[in-house]
Amino acid sequence: MSLDQSDVERIAYLARLAIDEQDIPQYTENLSSILQLVDEMQAIDTTGVEPLAHPLDGEQRLRVDEVSEMNQREQLQSVAPATEEGLFLVPKVIE
Amino acid sequence: MEWETVIGLEIHVQLSTQTKIFSGASTAFGAEPNTQACAVDLALPGTLPVFNENAQRMAIMFGLAINAEIGKRAVFERKNYFYPDLPKGYQTTQLEKPVVGEGYVDITTDDGSRRVRIHHAHLEEDAGKSLHEDFHGMSGIDLNRAGTPLIEIVSEPDMRTSKEASEYARKVHAIVTTLGICDGNMAEGSMRCDCNVSIRPKGQEEYGTRTELKNINSFRFIERAIDTEVARQIDLIEDGGTVVQETRLYDPDRNETRSMRSKEDANDYRYFPCPDLLPVVVDDEYVEAIRATLPELPDARRERFISEYSLSEYDAGVLSAYRPQADYYEAVVAASKDAKLAANWVMGELAKNLNANDTDIKESPVNAEQLGGLLQRIKDNTISGNIAKKVFEHMWSEGGTADEIIEAKGLKQVTDTGAIEKVIDEVIANSTSQVEQYKAAEPDKRGKMIGFFMGQVMKATGGKANPGAVTGLLKKKLDALCD
């Protein structure tokens, strides 16, 4: 499977990545070659093999439901560009 | 043309854990903005999620309550989208391997019973809140809710009327509150509902194009939103148009739905398994230990109320739907030893006062022992039902036991026939014209005319005379005059 320029533009848009017009051919080629590798792997017979959800062969450790994080708003907001009345301020987002 | 409505619901239920699904920050409602949003919830670099065991336990409780297969190896995935109330740029959720598989609930409407199949229920995290009031042209973000555990319950498109949809939502509400896994407070957003609605010509197999009505937070609005949307779709199609698959918002003030997002910029969420979280593996022993903790569920309790207390199906349904109310009712039965009287009072006088004061039964100023004590005094004829209402009012506003109030206010019913006879004789002596009318009336009309004398006697005794004794004595004395 290979991508064309519009696929790359769409992927960049979905990931909110700003890319230079002139770099698109290069990205198209690189991403296509990754997909070709996937195509090669698809050819392998995986009948009877359980799908892998995670490369580590382990299971999730669970946490006890007890509050362990206290209010650190002042410290956490000290690195935010804009705050007011305890809120983080962001460019207006209403649709 | 005759149309059939097809409805499926996605219900988001906030789990009542102490902490977030992936962090140890508190989930308490109503805190100052961002005081319960820790580094994990803010998605600061280098933080990692650790899964809350209680969220897993609660989700499994729900699965067992709807007779579902429990996912023995659940996998978290990332659902990618960009919105400032979602700091990570993705929502951690489940897709291919949810914690709860196929199940069902049964609902009852006036048209009979219906089984609504549940496709699956999955665990995920809630987003924060965006405040769009004017902060110098910017939006304010509160991330206290970010990371609160949710289960999303996805039904099959098995409902055919708005009433069935709201009944289904009520049933889910009854189950999650009975299990104690959600506080059920819809006004605070603890349970939110998306309705997928489409129409098709009656008899057609194939589904029509559906629209999704987002974030409806009351049972009444579920019905109104669906009815409004169905009317819109029928008008549209009958005028030669077509329904567009889109997300719509229901506006309760204007009773209309309007488009939020259309298909052109339909989101591609690019799901993939979350590399930060390993599969969640549960064994049979763990699931069975949870099953052993399940409380009596609403359907079972309703059946028991019918068989044990001889309640009507309706009364049993109302009383069993909300666990604190069902518990309260059973405590009143225990204290009063009268299941029917207890049902009447819990659904009548008590419910009326709770509604009028917008009070949950858990915060009722009159507790079950007090109400049970009051009902005992009705049963043993110490007071009449009418006087009992006055005692109840006093109990509600001032507190106290029924006996204390009856004693302090001198409300004890007069059952002494000698005393009652004396009052009756006075009433008859002072009502000559009514007595004449009574005598002149046909015998079969006289029964109704006793009402006047009854009222006079009750007035004279301040309502304390035993109504049964008064009626009997009045009839005897008046009929004696007719001979």
Side-chain angles (χ1 to χ4, degrees):
Chain A
M1 185 184 171
S2 74
L3 300 174
D4 61 26
Q5 182 151 339
S6 69
D7 293 324
V8 173
E9 283 169 359
R10 176 164 163 74
I11 293 164
Y13 169 73
L14 286 172
R16 300 296 189 275
L17 292 173
I19 52 174
D20 274 333
E21 186 81 35
Q22 60 188 38
D23 293 335
I24 293 178
Q26 183 68 52
Y27 291 135
T28 308
E29 201 187 311
N30 291 352
L31 288 169
S32 294
S33 76
I34 291 170
L35 289 175
Q36 270 151 26
L37 175 65
V38 173
D39 281 343
E40 281 175 41
M41 293 197 290
Q42 296 278 32
I44 299 166
D45 180 10
T46 56
T47 317
V49 179
E50 273 286 300
L52 187 71
H54 199 283
L56 295 181
D57 184 23
E59 33 185 276
Q60 180 62 35
R61 295 273 293 274
L62 304 177
R63 175 175 58 79
V64 178
D65 185 24
E66 283 167 4
V67 176
S68 59
E69 300 298 318
M70 299 306 153
N71 176 23
Q72 296 186 62
R73 183 172 77 183
E74 208 172 318
Q75 210 183 339
L76 292 168
Q77 291 197 334
S78 67
V79 292
T83 60
E84 191 171 310
E85 294 170 23
L87 300 164
F88 293 97
L89 295 191
V90 299
K92 211 162 181 84
V93 287
I94 199 159
E95 283 182 33
Chain B
M1 176 162 335
E2 205 179 338
W3 297 96
E4 181 176 56
T5 305
V6 176
I7 306 159
L9 260 53
E10 292 164 20
I11 299 179
H12 288 89
V13 170
Q14 254 181 25
L15 298 178
S16 48
T17 53
Q18 297 299 307
T19 63
K20 306 279 176 81
I21 185 169
F22 298 123
S23 85
S26 170
T27 52
F29 183 81
E32 284 289 304
N34 293 307
T35 55
Q36 294 175 173
C38 70
V40 174
D41 307 325
L42 299 185
L44 292 191
T47 56
L48 282 172
V50 187
F51 184 38
N52 182 342
E53 190 267 342
N54 205 19
Q56 171 78 354
R57 172 181 299 273
M58 289 179 172
I60 291 175
M61 286 174 85
F62 179 75
L64 295 172
I66 60 160
N67 310 294
E69 192 70 28
I70 302 303
K72 295 290 167 57
R73 198 179 171 82
V75 175
F76 283 107
E77 312 222 14
R78 294 183 176 184
K79 177 182 180 179
N80 297 277
Y81 67 92
F82 293 93
Y83 206 75
D85 60 21
L86 186 78
K88 288 187 294 194
Y90 58 85
Q91 179 190 35
T92 307
T93 178
Q94 297 174 330
L95 182 72
E96 300 282 341
K97 305 237 175 221
V99 57
V100 175
E102 282 174 37
Y104 62 85
V105 298
D106 292 323
I107 57 166
T108 310
T109 65
D110 297 340
D111 304 329
S113 296
R114 184 186 280 283
R115 175 156 294 181
V116 177
R117 293 167 301 155
I118 290 171
H119 181 271
H120 77 273
H122 62 261
L123 269 163
E124 62 184 25
E125 59 185 339
D126 210 343
K129 276 181 184 164
S130 305
L131 301 155
H132 301 297
E133 293 112 61
D134 198 14
F135 293 99
H136 333 288
M138 301 182 81
S139 289
I141 306 292
D142 175 8
L143 295 170
N144 280 350
R145 200 180 64 182
T148 297
L150 303 174
I151 47 173
E152 179 173 340
I153 303 157
V154 182
S155 85
E156 296 286 355
D158 282 354
M159 289 149 278
R160 296 291 173 266
T161 64
S162 59
K163 183 76 190 156
E164 286 180 356
S166 72
E167 276 308 310
Y168 164 75
R170 278 178 212 275
K171 182 51 82 65
V172 169
H173 185 269
I175 291 171
V176 297
T177 54
T178 298
L179 292 172
I181 64 174
C182 175
D183 66 24
N185 190 327
M186 295 180 78
E188 286 175 5
S190 299
M191 185 169 141
R192 311 190 287 271
C193 199
D194 301 342
C195 306
N196 289 299
V197 181
S198 66
I199 58 167
R200 61 181 174 189
K202 212 170 173 100
Q204 180 179 303
E205 191 80 19
E206 201 184 324
Y207 293 129
T209 305
R210 67 168 192 265
T211 57
E212 184 178 7
L213 308 173
K214 274 281 186 200
N215 266 340
I216 303 174
N217 67 354
S218 87
F219 300 121
R220 195 160 48 92
F221 287 164
I222 288 174
E223 287 184 38
R224 284 174 53 189
I226 291 172
D227 289 340
T228 306
E229 177 59 12
V230 167
R232 186 190 72 89
Q233 291 187 10
I234 290 175
D235 284 350
L236 193 62
I237 292 175
E238 291 188 343
D239 289 347
T242 48
V243 175
V244 181
Q245 186 175 339
E246 62 181 355
T247 303
R248 298 180 71 85
L249 191 71
Y250 175 65
D251 179 346
D253 296 328
R254 299 165 75 172
N255 197 33
E256 64 177 28
T257 68
R258 56 174 181 268
S259 182
M260 274 175 82
R261 276 180 230 135
S262 67
K263 207 183 175 183
E264 296 114 68
D265 51 273
N267 285 305
D268 176 346
Y269 293 120
R270 299 166 297 144
Y271 281 92
F272 64 90
C274 181
D276 288 346
L277 289 157
L278 290 160
V280 186
V281 178
V282 296
D283 56 22
D284 290 336
E285 203 183 336
Y286 180 79
V287 173
E288 290 314 309
I290 293 174
R291 194 192 300 277
T293 68
L294 290 187
E296 186 182 26
L297 290 163
D299 281 353
R301 202 166 197 181
R302 190 192 64 219
E303 292 311 311
R304 184 167 61 79
F305 280 6
I306 293 170
S307 61
E308 192 174 331
Y309 302 135
S310 306
L311 296 186
S312 71
E313 203 153 301
Y314 177 81
D315 289 1
V318 171
L319 288 168
S320 61
Y322 181 49
R323 185 177 172 187
Q325 185 180 30
D327 291 344
Y328 186 105
Y329 167 69
E330 294 212 80
V332 177
V333 175
S336 68
K337 311 273 184 283
D338 190 324
K340 185 65 195 153
L341 193 60
N344 291 344
W345 275 76
V346 171
M347 290 166 53
E349 214 57 23
L350 179 70
K352 196 176 83 185
N353 279 274
L354 291 172
N355 286 341
N357 293 282
D358 201 17
T359 305
D360 188 276
I361 197 161
K362 284 180 290 192
E363 272 86 49
S364 171
V366 174
N367 66 35
E369 285 67 36
Q370 281 173 291
L371 181 55
L374 175 62
L375 302 192
Q376 277 186 342
R377 294 300 156 260
I378 300 175
K379 274 186 59 166
D380 67 12
N381 281 327
T382 306
I383 52 173
S384 68
N386 271 330
I387 294 287
K389 286 184 185 172
K390 285 186 192 157
V391 176
F392 182 84
E393 271 171 38
H394 192 85
M395 231 178 223
W396 181 277
S397 52
E398 314 281 331
T401 68
D403 288 342
E404 284 162 5
I405 297 165
I406 292 165
E407 180 67 34
K409 303 217 151 219
L411 295 170
K412 203 168 167 174
Q413 187 160 252
V414 181
T415 45
D416 169 5
T417 40
I420 294 174
E421 275 188 79
K422 202 170 145 241
V423 178
I424 289 175
D425 290 340
E426 281 167 21
V427 167
I428 289 176
N430 293 330
S431 317
T432 38
S433 68
Q434 282 83 1
V435 172
E436 287 312 312
Q437 284 169 23
Y438 187 91
K439 285 160 78 173
E442 296 292 325
D444 60 332
K445 298 272 164 63
R446 285 176 183 161
K448 276 188 183 171
M449 301 180 73
I450 284 192
F452 166 79
F453 300 98
M454 185 82 189
Q456 294 299 307
V457 175
M458 282 302 177
K459 205 167 140 193
T461 57
K464 288 184 288 182
N466 180 313
V470 175
T471 315
L473 286 169
L474 262 174
K475 198 163 170 347
K476 208 170 90 189
K477 284 184 180 287
L478 286 167
D479 288 347
L481 293 175
C482 300
D483 293 336

